Amino acid sequence: MIIPGVPVALQRKYEPVARIVAIVAGVLLAGSAYLPWAYSGDALDDVSYLGGPSFLQFVILGFGLGLTALMVCSIRFSQGIGRFRIGWIRGAKALATGALIAMVVIVAAISFELGGTINVMYGGWIATVLALLAFVATRFMITELDPDLNTAKTPAWLGILAIALIMLVVLFTAYYALDQSDPGTFVTFGIYAGTVVVVLLRTGAMGWLTSVSSKHRRVLILSAFIVAFLFPFTQGGSQANMSIATQVLIFAATAMGLNIVVGLAGLLDLGYIAFLGAGAFVAAMLSESAFATIGWHPPFIVTMLISGCVSATLGLIIGSPTLRVSGDYLAIITLAFGEIFRVAMINLDGTDGPDLTHGSNGIPGVPGLNLFGFDFSEEHTILGFQLGMYSNYYFVLLVLVAVVILIFSRLNNSRIGRGWVAIREDEKAAEAMGVNVFGLKLFAFASGAFLAGVAGSIKAHHDISVTPDQYIFLESAFLLAAVVLGGMGTVLGVLIGATLLRMMPEKLRFVNEYRLMIFGLLLVVMMRFRPEGLIASERRQLEFHDEDEQLAERIEEERHDAGEAEGVPAGTEEVTR
C-alpha cells in the first residue's frame, strides 16, 4: 500500500525500521493487557486489575502476539511458504487497525461509563499509544503479497478439524455476545470479531476455509446444525437472550424468502414485510385467543399452511398486474403495497370494514403453541438444562430455517433457479432465449411470499400479540438490507446478514436515537468496499470485480476441477452452456 503524499522511496527507506517498530509494538501491546486500564471495575468486564487480565484484555494480548507473529513471518518468509504467497503484511495491517479501533472504543467506554477520561488508568493509555504506533508502522509497508491459499492440498482430516474448530468458535462468539449486558463490552467484542474476519480475508485464510468447506459440505452442514441445536443449552435458561435468538431466526427465515425474490430473480421488493404480516394475522385470527375473530381453530400445522397460502395468494394478486414492470417502478409499487396492507389491517376494525383484526389494537392474547401435547409456553428441563418458552420456539424455528434452506438450495440449483438468474442478469435476453419471464417472476413472488407467511404464523404465537404497527416499511428495509449485506443469492450470507441486523439493534439500545444513523453509515461503508456482500457468490464477485483477472482465473480453475472430479470432460461445461 502506498501512502498518499509520501514518496515511495521514503517508504521503502523506512520500511525495515517500520517492521522492527511494529514487532516491538506488538510485543508491548500484548504485555499491556496485564496493566490496569480503569480505576473501577464497573466499566466493561472489569479491566482494573494489575496482572489479572479480563477477557477483553486477553483478546488484545492475542492481537499483540498475532501482530508480532505476522511481522516475523513477513521477514522470515518474505516470498511465502513453498508455492503459496501469503499476505502476512495485509493481515498485520488489519490487526493493527482493529487493535487501534478497539482501544479507542475501550477508552471512550471507560470515560463514558465512569464519568471522564480521568478514570482511564495508565495501562489503557499505554495500550492505545502502542496500538497507534503499530498502526503507523504497518502503514509504511508497501510490500503487498496476494494471498492464494485456495489451491492448497489439504488432508481430509485437517479440513474436517478446521470446520469443527470454526463451529466451536462461532458457538462461543454467539454465546459471549448475547451474554453481554454492558454496551461497551459488546461493541468492543464486535470489533474484535470483525477484525478477526478481516485478518482471515486479508491473509487468504478465508479463501482456504471456503475451499475446504465446499469439499466437505456435508460435514459443514452437520456441524452448523449441531452448533445451532446446542446454542440454547449454553444460555443458562436466559429468556432475554433466547428471545433475541428466536427473533433472529424469524428474521432469517423471512429474509431467505426475500432472497428468492431479490437475490435470484432480481425483483426489488420494498413491501415484503406485508407477507410476513399476512401470515401472522391469519394465524392470530385462527388461534384460540379470546380476541380471535374466526371461530374455527384448526391444528397449528394446518394454520401454518393456510397462512403461507394466504400470503402466496396476496403475492399472486399483487404480482399479476405489476410484474410486467421492473426496476424503480416495481420498487414503488411494492412499497405502496406494503403501506396498503398496513392501512387495510387498521381499517378491518368493524367500522370501516369487517371486524377481522380489531383495527390498530390488533389481536392480543395469542396463546403459545401446543404441538402433539408439547406446550411451548411452559419451561422444560432436558438433561438437567432448563429451557424456557423462547428456547422451545427456537427449536421449531431452527427446523423451519432448515426447511427453507433446503427449498432455496433446491430451487437455486434447478432449471427454475437458472431461469431466475437469467431474468436477473438480462430480462430481454432471457425472454429471447425462450424463458417464461412473467411466469417465473410470478412464481418467485408467490414462493417467497409463502415462506414469509409460514414464518409469520410462528411469529404470531411467539410475540403473543399481532398489531399493524409491527409491519411498517422500516422492517422491509431491514430485510432487504440483510439480503444485500450478507450476499444476494447465497444462504450463509443471508443468515449472517439477518443475524447482524436483528441482534445489533437489541444490543445497541443505549444509542437508540442514533442506531439507524450508525446502521446507515455501516451500510454505506459496506457497499463502498464490499458491494457483493459479506458472503458473495462467484457470479456476484465477478460482476463487481470484473477487472480482477486473477479472481476470474481462479473461479474458472475451480469449476474445471469440479467438472473433472465429477467425470465431466474439460470444456463440456462451456459447450453445454
Side-chain angles (χ1 to χ4, degrees):
M1 177 180 179
I2 299 176
I3 305 176
V6 179
V8 178
L10 185 63
Q11 289 185 246
R12 292 189 182 278
K13 178 180 179 180
Y14 289 104
E15 185 177 2
V17 178
R19 292 177 185 269
I20 297 175
V21 171
I23 292 174
V24 174
V27 173
L28 296 179
L29 181 62
S32 67
Y34 288 88
L35 302 177
W37 290 359
Y39 274 104
S40 172
D42 296 332
L44 301 176
D45 60 344
D46 194 357
V47 292
S48 60
Y49 283 99
L50 175 63
S54 68
F55 178 77
L56 293 182
Q57 290 174 303
F58 264 120
V59 177
I60 284 292
L61 184 149
F63 275 24
L65 295 180
L67 174 63
T68 304
L70 289 173
M71 293 310 306
V72 170
C73 289
S74 70
I75 298 175
R76 178 66 181 84
F77 307 108
S78 59
Q79 299 302 320
I81 297 180
R83 62 188 179 88
F84 304 124
R85 294 179 298 159
I86 306 176
W88 305 111
I89 296 177
R90 286 184 171 183
K93 288 181 177 181
L95 269 180
T97 304
L100 177 60
I101 296 175
M103 288 310 307
V104 170
V105 171
I106 286 173
V107 169
I110 294 174
S111 303
F112 178 79
E113 295 180 16
L114 298 182
T117 56
I118 193 173
N119 294 286
V120 182
M121 289 194 69
Y122 62 92
W125 295 116
I126 290 175
T128 304
V129 172
L130 290 172
L132 177 61
L133 186 62
F135 174 80
V136 174
T138 54
R139 298 305 104 177
F140 275 87
M141 300 173 190
I142 60 175
T143 304
E144 291 285 350
L145 300 177
D146 297 328
D148 186 14
L149 294 175
N150 301 334
T151 58
K153 301 298 183 182
T154 306
W157 66 268
L158 182 59
I160 295 174
L161 179 62
I163 292 174
L165 290 176
I166 291 172
M167 290 298 104
L168 288 177
V169 171
V170 169
L171 178 61
F172 173 78
T173 301
Y175 157 73
Y176 187 84
L178 278 179
D179 198 45
Q180 299 309 308
S181 57
D182 181 78
T185 303
F186 176 79
V187 174
T188 305
F189 182 73
I191 294 173
Y192 289 161
T195 301
V196 171
V197 173
V198 173
V199 170
L200 292 176
L201 288 170
R202 301 290 283 177
T203 57
M206 185 64 77
W208 175 78
L209 292 173
T210 302
S211 178
V212 169
S213 300
S214 63
K215 294 177 181 177
H216 305 282
R217 188 178 301 275
R218 293 182 179 180
V219 176
L220 176 64
I221 295 174
L222 179 61
S223 301
F225 185 80
I226 291 175
V227 166
F229 179 81
L230 293 177
F231 175 75
F233 297 96
T234 65
Q235 297 305 305
S238 173
Q239 289 284 68
N241 291 346
M242 291 310 304
S243 175
I244 297 176
T246 52
Q247 292 177 35
V248 167
L249 289 182
I250 293 173
F251 195 73
T254 310
M256 288 297 299
L258 180 61
N259 197 23
I260 294 177
V261 180
V262 178
L264 295 184
L267 305 174
L268 184 56
D269 188 350
L270 298 180
Y272 189 75
I273 195 66
F275 301 127
L276 180 70
F281 270 107
V282 170
M285 288 187 289
L286 294 176
S287 70
E288 296 183 359
S289 169
F291 301 92
T293 54
I294 297 179
W296 181 44
H297 310 299
F300 176 72
I301 300 296
V302 177
T303 300
M304 182 173 61
L305 294 176
I306 293 175
S307 299
C309 291
V310 169
S311 296
T313 303
L314 285 178
L316 293 174
I317 293 174
I318 188 63
S320 296
T322 61
L323 286 180
R324 300 187 186 277
V325 301
S326 59
D328 301 337
Y329 303 101
L330 179 62
I332 294 173
I333 291 174
T334 54
L335 172 61
F337 168 68
E339 287 301 302
I340 290 172
F341 171 80
R342 184 179 63 84
V343 174
M345 294 300 102
I346 294 176
N347 289 336
L348 296 179
D349 57 356
T351 301
D352 298 319
D355 188 12
L356 294 177
T357 65
H358 299 310
S360 59
N361 293 326
I363 302 177
V366 180
L369 289 178
N370 193 310
L371 290 177
F372 309 109
F374 186 88
D375 191 352
F376 282 69
S377 60
E378 295 182 357
E379 294 185 353
H380 300 273
T381 302
I382 300 177
L383 300 177
F385 293 93
Q386 186 176 2
L387 301 177
M389 176 184 72
Y390 295 115
S391 297
N392 301 329
Y393 281 102
Y394 176 88
F395 290 118
V396 173
L397 288 166
L398 189 62
V399 174
L400 173 64
V401 169
V403 172
V404 172
I405 291 175
L406 178 63
I407 294 174
F408 179 86
S409 301
R410 295 299 183 185
L411 286 175
N412 189 20
N413 297 325
S414 66
R415 178 175 297 182
I416 294 175
R418 292 193 295 271
W420 282 336
V421 172
I423 294 172
R424 186 190 69 192
E425 298 301 317
D426 194 326
E427 183 175 329
K428 296 298 182 183
E431 188 174 8
M433 294 301 294
V435 176
N436 185 358
V437 173
F438 180 74
L440 287 181
K441 289 167 67 174
L442 197 61
F443 180 66
F445 228 66
S447 58
F450 178 85
L451 296 178
V454 171
S457 64
I458 300 179
K459 178 177 172 61
H461 292 272
H462 171 272
D463 294 347
I464 303 177
S465 65
V466 181
T467 59
D469 291 338
Q470 292 175 307
Y471 307 98
I472 57 178
F473 166 71
L474 185 61
E475 293 298 321
S476 291
F478 268 95
L479 285 170
L480 182 61
V483 174
V484 176
L485 176 65
M488 291 194 294
T490 63
V491 173
L492 181 59
V494 173
L495 293 178
I496 293 176
T499 301
L500 292 176
L501 288 182
R502 182 52 65 182
M503 185 175 69
M504 293 290 284
E506 295 296 331
K507 289 296 184 179
L508 296 181
R509 290 187 178 275
F510 68 101
V511 289
N512 187 51
E513 297 180 358
Y514 303 100
R515 56 180 177 174
L516 290 180
M517 182 185 71
I518 295 173
F519 282 141
L521 292 175
L522 290 177
L523 287 175
V524 170
V525 172
M526 184 67 191
M527 293 302 100
R528 168 60 182 85
F529 293 101
R530 194 171 176 82
E532 66 270 27
L534 294 174
I535 307 295
S537 63
E538 294 177 352
R539 183 182 296 272
R540 300 292 292 179
Q541 283 181 299
L542 290 175
E543 286 176 3
F544 288 102
H545 304 282
D546 53 356
E547 74 284 354
D548 194 339
E549 296 181 0
Q550 182 183 6
L551 174 63
E553 292 176 359
R554 176 175 62 80
I555 291 177
E556 190 62 32
E557 289 177 0
E558 291 178 356
R559 290 176 177 173
H560 178 77
D561 295 340
E564 289 186 346
E566 295 176 1
V568 179
T572 303
E573 181 185 357
E574 292 297 326
V575 175
T576 305
R577 190 182 310 162

